[in-house]
Amino acid sequence: MNIAVILLSLNRNDLTKRVIDQNFKNSGYDADCFLVDNGSNQVPYELYDWTNCNVGYKRGIGAGVNAGLRMTRGYDGVCLLANDILLPQNWLSNWVMFSKRVSKTGIIGIHCVEELPPLQDGVHKTHTPFGDNFLTRELIDTIGGYNEEYDPYGMQDRDYAERATIAGFTNYYLPDLKSEHIGHDVGNGTEYRAMKDASLQKAQAVWEKYQPIYHEEKNLDANFSNNEQDKWRSLS
């Protein structure tokens, strides 16, 4: 399989370097790498042997993901990585292996901080695999990119998983592998958790807006970008 890895970054160059140093030495599988800076207010971290992209200003996770998807249309699978999650040994080779093994694979994740669902058919099936993800080409071609109305944070991943589920794809975590979150403290009562909770409250209105569009109109691959030149499906 021809695989692309999209690493999203926003400031915190020290974490970006640490993630690159570990994750791309232990992947167990060759891939082309794309570094998408999602609007840093410091000098973006760049690598000469990667494809570097800067979206220009902070526009949310969905915009950064879609910028990466526009650059990786010719790949069989696309990995979405954060710049604050360390992945275990052979993470990419396992993603590729399971994507071939599990019928109608949509989104694959590696367990990080959330509780794992029970093992079923050799994987931990779930609605939304949080954290770093592997997306199959079939999934991307079926439901398109991320919904950018969840800006800057909140429920983009759940929205994408919802559309994948409606389209008949299976989302799951890999067994026996765990990743490590090294960025913000995600525990209850932290400043980061308070920010996330506030974002989720705002995102609820967007979620409710799109439920009839997805479930009743079956419109799963709508073009979500508000910027005409950035609409990733418009690029050949």
Side-chain angles (χ1 to χ4, degrees), residues 9 12 33 38 40 44 70 78 87 94 98 110 127 135 151 162 172-173 176 181 195 198 209 218 227 233 236:
S9 67
R12 303 190 297 173
C33 301
N38 209 13
S40 293
R70 288 195 299 272
V78 177
L87 294 169
N94 274 280
F98 275 86
I110 293 178
H127 178 276
L135 312 180
D151 182 26
E162 178 84 349
Y172 54 89
Y173 290 109
D176 305 319
H181 188 274
M195 181 276 292
K209 169 185 173 180
K218 303 300 180 184
N227 188 334
R233 279 190 169 275
S236 57

Side-chain angles (χ1 to χ4, degrees), residues 193-203:
R193 173 55 62 186
M195 181 276 292
K196 290 287 287 185
D197 289 344
S199 295
L200 289 173
Q201 291 179 4
K202 296 178 182 178

